[in-house]
Amino acid sequence: MDTVEVCKQPMPEATPFDADPISTASRADIEEQIQIFIRRQDVGKVTQLKRALNSLVPIASLPDDLLIEIFALYPYAEDQSRSKFDPLIPTPYHWLRYTHVCHHWRHVALQTPILWTDIVLINQNECIKEMLIRSGQAPVEVSSAPGRLAPMDMLKICLDELHRVQSLNIRVSPGVVEELADAEYREDGQLESLSVSLGSAYPWISDHGLSEALGVFLTGVGSRKLKKLQVIGIHLFPNLTPAFPLLTSFSWSTPSPRLAVNDFLYFLQSIPSLQVLKLWDVFRPHRMSAKPTLHTSLPCLKELHMSNEYLPYEDLLPYLHLTRDASLNLDVHGVDTHSHLMSFLSLLHSAALSNELLAVELIRYENSRIEFKGWEGAFSHEIELGRAAPIPKLRLLIELASEFEDSMHVPDQLLEALPVATVDYLRLRNTLNWHWYSAFAKMRNVTKLYVAGELWDVPEALVFSCIPPESRGLNDPELRLFPRLRYLRLKEPENVQTAPIFAQKLHGFFVLRL
């Protein structure tokens, strides 16, 4: 009580305000003192007392290290209301709000370099410089603003600190690429992740000068330490690109000109540690192109993602030696004949697909596309494939050309050509109105079946799979499509009401709750 009584008395102006009495005072005591010093127009004392008042808030008891963790997570929180309160603050910097909440929060933020390391090239040059100062010597990440080109003046400010830039993700114009090639960089760079994307206003630029400039830039920024590289819209030439001894992830998309498969195999030899390879429309689809002469082994590869016409696959896959653990994510478009489809499918067995699959999902889309997913692991009947499932061993998206004939047989051909004899979990979406029986007949080990689509298309043989022979009075084993089936889940679209029609197929054998 003595301390509280002292705090209630007006304090001499010449005496510095003691922090201890403030820390033990109540909210009412401090608010009373604030009113006294407001009347005296003593701004310094009012500010000091208001900070003491803030210290009584429960959140003020959090340790600084925990507060920093909360600040670091704020940019990743989804809050659609932020733009209403911060109309003048660009979206990438909405996290600056917490530096204006109170003196203590601002002090903690300014003294924590790691909070200032995510630099988005959207504000004025002075803002970029200030963030580089506040980040101290911590590694920084630099990126273009979403949908905008990176301004060269801001980019140069960051590249002056390239020795501590760990990630660089920029969207650029051709002129910026050439300027980047002309700049000089320190040799002690720590750049581990680099993404260079050509702006959408320049989709068909294909001159060798731009490719050479990119090669010079890659060499200058320290390509020998890169672990992740993404290039979008700019062509690469093997003789102009440096080696990448530590690179584990490489993504490349280029509209034109496309690369010969043999040149790309030569390029891959400079990436011995590659684990993830992503390619979009990179190769020429010439039917009479010369066969590759190189065989490239990728002993560390875990994921291959590729989208291209079907012909380059025939040139690439036989010469690209993958490990048995590698997963394939292939988007094949322009398939126009059954022979081309089967020729492509025959390549998959030699591309790390010798093991049988235990879970399969087959989807038909309206725009002549068929998607196949296969996993080597067994799943519970309750799992939702595509959302809760891990990365599939094989994901195959086939887009049929308009001249493709008799497309209803494509699911049959997929299941006949791929290792699905031991499948335990089968998930079908919009595929049962195709020629289904011959394809599913060999999948005798299915115990879990999920069917999504219009239920009037569900065949009676599928329904009989759930009914014991003694219950249905039928002796024909061929009518029981999946003899080991234990779980059946049927789901139809919300805008389709075919349950009454489907119920007529049950013939009174059992009641299915829809």
Side-chain angles (χ1 to χ4, degrees), residues 218-231:
L218 289 174
T219 304
V221 298
S223 61
R224 302 190 65 82
K225 296 183 179 180
L226 275 179
K227 296 181 180 179
K228 183 177 181 180
L229 174 62
Q230 180 180 49
V231 179

Side-chain angles (χ1 to χ4, degrees), residues 159-160 180-186 220:
L159 293 179
D160 287 340
L180 292 175
D182 294 335
E184 296 183 1
Y185 307 99
R186 291 173 50 169

Side-chain angles (χ1 to χ4, degrees), residues 111-250:
Q111 300 301 315
T112 308
I114 193 174
L115 296 177
W116 305 90
T117 57
D118 190 1
I119 300 176
V120 182
L121 304 179
I122 195 172
N123 277 345
Q124 300 298 323
N125 292 353
E126 295 303 319
C127 175
I128 306 300
K129 293 178 181 178
E130 188 64 28
M131 290 195 67
L132 287 170
I133 293 173
R134 293 180 181 180
S135 62
Q137 292 301 313
V140 298
E141 298 181 2
V142 179
S143 60
S144 300
R148 301 189 187 182
L149 297 177
M152 190 59 202
D153 53 346
M154 294 185 187
L155 198 53
K156 284 183 176 179
I157 295 173
C158 296
L159 293 179
D160 287 340
E161 296 286 324
L162 187 63
H163 61 283
R164 61 188 184 96
V165 176
Q166 199 169 51
S167 173
L168 182 61
N169 184 346
I170 53 175
R171 191 180 188 190
V172 296
S173 65
V176 169
V177 177
E178 294 171 353
E179 288 191 57
L180 292 175
D182 294 335
E184 296 183 1
Y185 307 99
R186 291 173 50 169
E187 296 182 356
D188 59 343
Q190 301 298 318
L191 191 62
E192 295 183 359
S193 176
L194 173 63
S195 176
V196 181
S197 172
L198 196 64
S200 58
Y202 317 96
W204 301 110
I205 290 182
S206 58
D207 60 58
H208 289 240
L210 188 61
S211 302
E212 184 176 2
L214 179 60
V216 173
F217 174 64
L218 289 174
T219 304
V221 298
S223 61
R224 302 190 65 82
K225 296 183 179 180
L226 275 179
K227 296 181 180 179
K228 183 177 181 180
L229 174 62
Q230 180 180 49
V231 179
I232 300 177
I234 304 177
H235 195 53
L236 291 174
F237 292 94
N239 60 323
L240 299 175
T241 307
F244 301 96
L246 300 181
L247 198 68
T248 59
S249 177
F250 175 59

Side-chain angles (χ1 to χ4, degrees), residues 234-276:
I234 304 177
H235 195 53
L236 291 174
F237 292 94
N239 60 323
L240 299 175
T241 307
F244 301 96
L246 300 181
L247 198 68
T248 59
S249 177
F250 175 59
S251 303
W252 183 27
S253 174
T254 178
S256 178
R258 299 181 186 178
L259 193 66
V261 170
N262 205 54
D263 291 337
F264 184 72
L265 292 174
Y266 175 81
F267 169 69
L268 286 181
Q269 294 180 349
S270 65
I271 317 177
S273 302
L274 193 62
Q275 296 180 10
V276 179

